[in-house]
Amino acid sequence: MADEQLHIAMVPWLAFGHMMPWLELAKLIAQKGHKISFISTPRNIDRLPKTPPHLSSAIHFIKVPLPQIEGLPPDAEATSDLPSNKVQYLKKALDLLQEPLTQLLASLDPDWVFSDFATYWVGSIAAKLGIKTVCFSICIAALLGFLGPSSVLIDGGYFEKPEDFTAPPKWVNFPTTVAYRYFDIKNTFDLVEGDVSGVNDPIRFGWWFRSCDVIAARSCSEFEPEWLRLLETNHGKPVFPVGQLPPTENETQDQADDDTWGSTKEWLDLHEKGTVVYVAFGSEAKPSQTQLTELALGVELSGLPFFWVLKTRRGSTDTELIELPPGFEERTKGRGVIWRGWVPQLKILAHDSVGGFLTHSGWSSVVEALMFERALIIFTFYADQGINASLLEEKKIGYRIPRNELDGSFTRDSVAESLKLVMVSEEGKIYRDKAKEMKPLFSDRIRQANYVDNFLSYLKTHKPAAKGTQQQEITNSSSWGGVALFDQHVKE
């Protein structure tokens, strides 16, 4: 019914690890008859998968040019376009979009706007316009609950140094081992020091939580119920799990994709069921040269067949190029494949010959692996990956390659032993069994639809009344915004 239709604006963070699950949620909502305005920068929108034809009239992509600032290359519009230490410039440029997005949201007049942590100021913009806000996180509830109440994130005083993240914080009111390893959080600290935007990630998360009306997490209550309850307790707001958002194959594949899959499938078909290790660290994570050397020699030492999607550079300004050890590809020819471009990851993981996934534990990769019952061997880099890995480890769903707790160093022997343990040994059977056990939570489309239906039911019954004159007043004003709100808080 027309009066039941919602109009939802979405403003995801400029990272494909965020935009892709946001797009999956957009498609699920559009399938229910609602309208989506998906807002991002021109180059990012052009790189997103094409919308299925039956949803093209319901999902509208709106391109907002990213301001050019010193330190940000002209072609850099996503985190994957930049070395890790340059992502701070992307946040600074994003913060300059407050005024354009104010005008855009006023003209779109959506019922709800979904914001991401980096666009923490969207909530205050929306409130002034009479639009309600959902904090939608692609991070699991365990990470969001671990971070604590918004007052802790904004005012500080608890998470001051890396060591503070290595044990469950005081507000976690149930037994758990979920916490960061020192080397994981130290790597993250090293990346955010000297943030040129002037607003660090904890403060962004804090104001993001504080300014929204509803929190939605990529999660399901069967998987992490205690963390979802903690999240609601921490913030005193409704919290909705929206499911794991398993991706769907794009319905319109071009010929290049078909050619890539054809040659890949031919190689996979040569191997027995469950024997191949798939190695990939997502669109952003890049090993150091030392890490790459040990990982490669460990994969070689394991004796297992492998398909490795290798990323050696992040954007045109990345000068720290990495290379495989001399002779590695020649020595493993036939047993392994090194692929340096895009691959159809879903199709690879779905292939019967793949038995395990050496992954950074980015949650999209975890979801895709567990959809197809693939056992997880984990090698983390930074950000949310440490908490993801800790939760998977606690639940015996993933096995972490042993590393030095302080500096994260490891050996080729530990890589080889970890791969063989998870892939073939009796000791590692629990990880293979757990991956199979998780499949219903991560691949059931009916279960996923039920989570979205429940969420939409709330959004429909709590959508705001007509906004009218209040919007016009805000459209004519520029003396406000999330950064202004942050500045005011600091002065107080």
Side-chain angles (χ1 to χ4, degrees):
M1 294 183 294
D3 62 343
E4 288 293 316
Q5 185 188 55
L6 292 172
H7 177 194
I8 295 170
M10 292 186 162
V11 191
W13 165 226
L14 307 178
F16 283 94
H18 288 239
M19 288 183 280
M20 294 301 289
W22 278 63
L23 185 56
E24 286 298 329
L25 182 58
K27 289 190 289 187
L28 291 169
I29 292 173
Q31 286 173 4
K32 304 293 183 179
H34 305 290
K35 177 183 175 182
I36 302 291
S37 293
F38 197 98
I39 303 166
S40 192
T41 63
R43 189 161 179 256
N44 286 340
I45 287 176
D46 290 343
R47 289 183 284 179
L48 288 171
K50 295 176 182 177
T51 306
H54 69 286
L55 297 178
S56 59
S57 62
I59 302 177
H60 302 271
F61 293 95
I62 301 175
K63 298 178 178 180
V64 180
L66 189 68
Q68 288 300 302
I69 63 169
E70 186 178 352
L72 187 67
D75 64 343
E77 296 185 10
T79 53
S80 56
D81 299 328
L82 294 160
S84 300
N85 62 349
K86 298 293 185 183
V87 170
Q88 55 182 319
Y89 293 95
L90 200 60
K91 290 173 185 169
K92 182 177 181 179
L94 182 67
D95 288 343
L96 296 177
L97 287 179
Q98 290 181 77
E99 193 60 34
L101 282 177
T102 301
Q103 307 298 327
L104 178 59
L105 290 174
S107 65
L108 289 174
D109 189 23
D111 299 300
W112 291 85
V113 59
F114 288 17
S115 71
D116 212 331
F117 84 98
T119 50
Y120 67 100
W121 33 263
V122 163
S124 60
I125 287 176
K128 294 283 187 177
L129 293 169
I131 302 166
K132 290 191 174 183
T133 305
V134 173
C135 284
F136 171 48
S137 176
I138 57 98
C139 300
I140 59 175
L143 175 71
L144 303 180
F146 186 93
L147 291 176
S150 57
S151 58
V152 169
L153 292 162
I154 295 169
D155 299 331
Y158 192 88
F159 291 129
E160 299 295 325
K161 55 189 184 300
E163 292 86 349
D164 299 333
F165 290 81
T166 59
K170 61 184 180 182
W171 48 83
V172 176
N173 54 9
F174 50 86
T176 183
T177 58
V178 172
Y180 277 97
R181 299 279 180 85
Y182 179 84
F183 61 83
D184 275 326
I185 196 62
K186 180 64 165 60
N187 288 344
T188 304
F189 262 66
D190 289 346
L191 291 175
V192 299
E193 286 179 0
D195 194 334
V196 299
S197 74
V199 186
N200 64 28
D201 284 353
I203 289 175
R204 287 179 188 270
F205 270 99
W207 282 111
W208 180 52
F209 285 131
R210 183 170 290 185
S211 62
C212 73
D213 298 284
V214 178
I215 298 170
R218 185 184 193 181
S219 182
C220 52
S221 55
E222 301 96 326
F223 187 68
E224 45 178 354
E226 65 276 63
W227 290 104
L228 287 163
R229 288 192 295 268
L230 176 63
L231 188 56
E232 197 163 61
T233 300
N234 281 348
H235 299 287
K237 296 179 179 183
V239 173
F240 285 88
V242 297
Q244 298 293 350
L245 302 176
T248 52
E249 280 289 353
N250 192 25
E251 295 182 17
T252 54
Q253 302 259 339
D254 60 31
Q255 187 60 44
D257 296 349
D258 292 338
D259 292 344
T260 297
W261 172 238
S263 59
T264 301
K265 184 177 184 299
E266 284 181 13
W267 185 86
L268 292 171
D269 286 344
L270 298 174
H271 296 84
E272 295 180 10
K273 182 177 180 179
T275 59
V276 174
V277 180
Y278 178 58
V279 184
F281 300 122
S283 61
E284 298 179 28
K286 191 188 88 171
S288 68
Q289 182 59 64
T290 300
Q291 290 174 337
L292 178 60
T293 297
E294 291 302 309
L295 284 166
L297 295 177
V299 168
E300 180 181 358
L301 191 60
S302 75
L304 296 168
F306 64 90
F307 190 103
W308 190 339
V309 183
L310 181 62
K311 187 181 184 72
T312 59
R313 195 176 190 184
R314 283 187 54 159
S316 59
T317 60
D318 186 355
T319 57
E320 296 182 7
L321 302 183
I322 55 175
E323 297 180 348
L324 289 165
F328 172 81
E329 290 186 76
E330 291 76 13
R331 294 193 302 272
T332 59
K333 189 174 182 180
R335 177 163 70 84
V337 170
I338 298 294
W339 197 278
R340 290 178 171 83
W342 178 89
V343 295
Q345 180 161 290
L346 274 185
K347 288 182 177 179
I348 292 173
L349 287 170
H351 196 280
D352 282 346
S353 69
V354 176
F357 186 5
L358 175 51
T359 174
H360 60 314
S361 76
W363 205 250
S364 289
S365 292
V366 170
V367 170
E368 292 175 17
L370 295 179
M371 283 174 65
F372 300 109
E373 305 178 358
R374 303 306 174 223
L376 300 172
I377 309 98
I378 299 170
F379 184 88
T380 54
F381 292 86
Y382 49 73
D384 62 333
Q385 298 161 22
I387 292 294
N388 295 347
S390 187
L391 183 67
L392 292 168
E393 191 175 38
E394 181 179 78
K395 293 178 177 290
K396 299 293 184 184
I397 299 171
Y399 180 81
R400 299 184 67 159
I401 293 174
R403 298 167 70 176
N404 180 285
E405 289 292 327
L406 293 179
D407 62 13
S409 59
F410 61 101
T411 66
R412 63 198 69 174
D413 290 327
S414 66
V415 174
E417 290 163 5
S418 298
L419 291 173
K420 288 187 288 186
L421 183 148
V422 174
M423 292 287 291
V424 298
S425 79
E426 185 62 28
E427 182 186 354
K429 185 175 182 294
I430 185 171
Y431 300 103
R432 301 191 292 275
D433 290 345
K434 278 288 185 179
K436 294 175 183 177
E437 184 183 319
M438 288 296 108
K439 181 177 180 177
L441 291 185
F442 287 80
S443 65
D444 187 335
R445 300 291 174 182
I446 295 176
R447 186 191 304 268
Q448 175 61 71
N450 288 340
Y451 274 110
V452 174
D453 285 342
N454 184 51
F455 180 44
L456 287 173
S457 177
Y458 180 90
L459 297 186
K460 284 189 286 188
T461 56
H462 291 80
K463 71 177 185 178
K467 298 171 277 292
T469 56
Q470 186 182 26
Q471 288 179 343
Q472 188 59 44
E473 291 172 4
I474 297 307
T475 303
N476 294 333
S477 170
S478 61
S479 59
W480 65 280
V483 170
L485 185 63
F486 165 67
D487 289 341
Q488 180 183 359
H489 170 79
V490 170
K491 290 174 185 177
E492 291 174 351

Coordinates of all heavy atoms in Angstrom, one line a residue, residues 369-373 433-444 447:
A369 N 32.2 -17.3 3.6 CA 32.8 -18.6 3.9 C 31.9 -19.6 4.5 O 31.7 -20.7 4.1 CB 34.1 -18.5 4.7
L370 N 31.2 -19.1 5.6 CA 30.3 -19.9 6.3 C 29.0 -20.3 5.6 O 28.3 -21.3 5.8 CB 29.9 -19.3 7.7 CG 31.2 -19.1 8.6 CD1 30.8 -18.5 9.9 CD2 31.8 -20.5 8.9
M371 N 28.6 -19.4 4.6 CA 27.5 -19.8 3.7 C 27.8 -21.1 3.0 O 26.8 -21.9 2.8 CB 27.4 -18.7 2.6 CG 26.8 -17.4 2.9 SD 26.9 -16.3 1.5 CE 25.8 -17.1 0.3
F372 N 29.0 -21.4 2.8 CA 29.4 -22.7 2.0 C 30.2 -23.7 2.9 O 30.9 -24.5 2.3 CB 30.2 -22.3 0.8 CG 29.4 -21.4 -0.2 CD1 29.8 -20.0 -0.3 CD2 28.3 -21.9 -0.9 CE1 29.1 -19.2 -1.2 CE2 27.6 -21.0 -1.7 CZ 28.0 -19.7 -1.8
E373 N 30.1 -23.5 4.2 CA 30.7 -24.4 5.2 C 32.2 -24.5 5.1 O 32.8 -25.6 5.3 CB 30.1 -25.8 5.0 CG 28.6 -25.9 5.0 CD 28.0 -27.3 4.8 OE1 28.8 -28.2 4.5 OE2 26.8 -27.5 4.8
D433 N 33.7 -29.0 11.4 CA 32.3 -29.3 11.8 C 31.5 -28.0 12.2 O 30.3 -27.9 11.9 CB 32.3 -30.2 13.1 CG 32.8 -31.6 12.7 OD1 32.8 -32.0 11.5 OD2 33.1 -32.4 13.6
K434 N 32.2 -27.1 12.9 CA 31.5 -25.8 13.3 C 31.1 -25.0 12.0 O 30.1 -24.4 12.0 CB 32.5 -25.0 14.2 CG 32.4 -25.5 15.6 CD 31.1 -25.0 16.3 CE 31.1 -25.3 17.8 NZ 29.9 -24.9 18.4
A435 N 32.0 -25.0 11.0 CA 31.7 -24.3 9.8 C 30.4 -24.9 9.2 O 29.5 -24.1 8.7 CB 32.8 -24.4 8.8
K436 N 30.2 -26.2 9.2 CA 29.0 -26.8 8.7 C 27.8 -26.4 9.6 O 26.7 -26.2 9.1 CB 29.1 -28.3 8.6 CG 30.2 -28.8 7.6 CD 30.4 -30.3 7.7 CE 31.5 -30.7 6.7 NZ 31.8 -32.1 6.8
E437 N 28.0 -26.4 10.9 CA 27.0 -26.1 11.8 C 26.4 -24.7 11.6 O 25.3 -24.4 11.9 CB 27.5 -26.3 13.2 CG 26.5 -26.1 14.4 CD 27.1 -26.2 15.7 OE1 28.0 -27.1 15.9 OE2 26.8 -25.4 16.6
M438 N 27.3 -23.8 11.2 CA 26.9 -22.4 11.1 C 26.2 -22.0 9.8 O 25.6 -21.0 9.7 CB 28.2 -21.5 11.1 CG 28.9 -21.4 12.5 SD 27.8 -20.5 13.7 CE 27.4 -21.9 14.7
K439 N 26.2 -22.9 8.8 CA 25.6 -22.6 7.5 C 24.2 -22.1 7.6 O 23.8 -21.1 7.0 CB 25.7 -23.9 6.6 CG 25.1 -23.6 5.2 CD 25.2 -24.8 4.3 CE 24.6 -24.4 2.9 NZ 24.7 -25.5 2.0
P440 N 23.3 -22.7 8.4 CA 21.9 -22.2 8.5 C 21.8 -20.7 8.9 O 20.9 -20.0 8.4 CB 21.2 -23.1 9.5 CG 22.0 -24.4 9.4 CD 23.4 -23.9 9.2
L441 N 22.7 -20.3 9.8 CA 22.6 -18.9 10.3 C 23.1 -18.0 9.3 O 22.7 -16.8 9.3 CB 23.5 -18.8 11.6 CG 23.0 -19.4 12.9 CD1 23.9 -19.1 14.0 CD2 21.6 -19.1 13.2
F442 N 24.0 -18.4 8.4 CA 24.6 -17.5 7.4 C 24.1 -17.6 6.0 O 24.5 -16.8 5.2 CB 26.1 -17.8 7.5 CG 26.8 -17.2 8.7 CD1 26.7 -18.0 9.9 CD2 27.4 -16.0 8.8 CE1 27.3 -17.5 11.1 CE2 28.0 -15.5 9.9 CZ 27.9 -16.2 11.1
S443 N 23.3 -18.6 5.7 CA 22.8 -18.7 4.3 C 21.3 -18.8 4.1 O 20.8 -18.8 3.0 CB 23.5 -20.0 3.7 OG 23.1 -21.1 4.4
D444 N 20.6 -19.0 5.2 CA 19.1 -19.2 5.1 C 18.4 -17.9 4.7 O 18.4 -17.0 5.5 CB 18.6 -19.7 6.5 CG 17.1 -20.1 6.4 OD1 16.4 -19.6 5.5 OD2 16.7 -20.9 7.3
R447 N 15.3 -17.0 6.9 CA 15.7 -16.4 8.2 C 16.1 -15.0 8.0 O 15.7 -14.1 8.7 CB 16.8 -17.2 8.8 CG 17.3 -16.8 10.2 CD 18.6 -17.5 10.6 NE 18.5 -18.9 10.5 CZ 18.2 -19.7 11.4 NH1 17.9 -19.3 12.6 NH2 18.2 -21.1 11.3

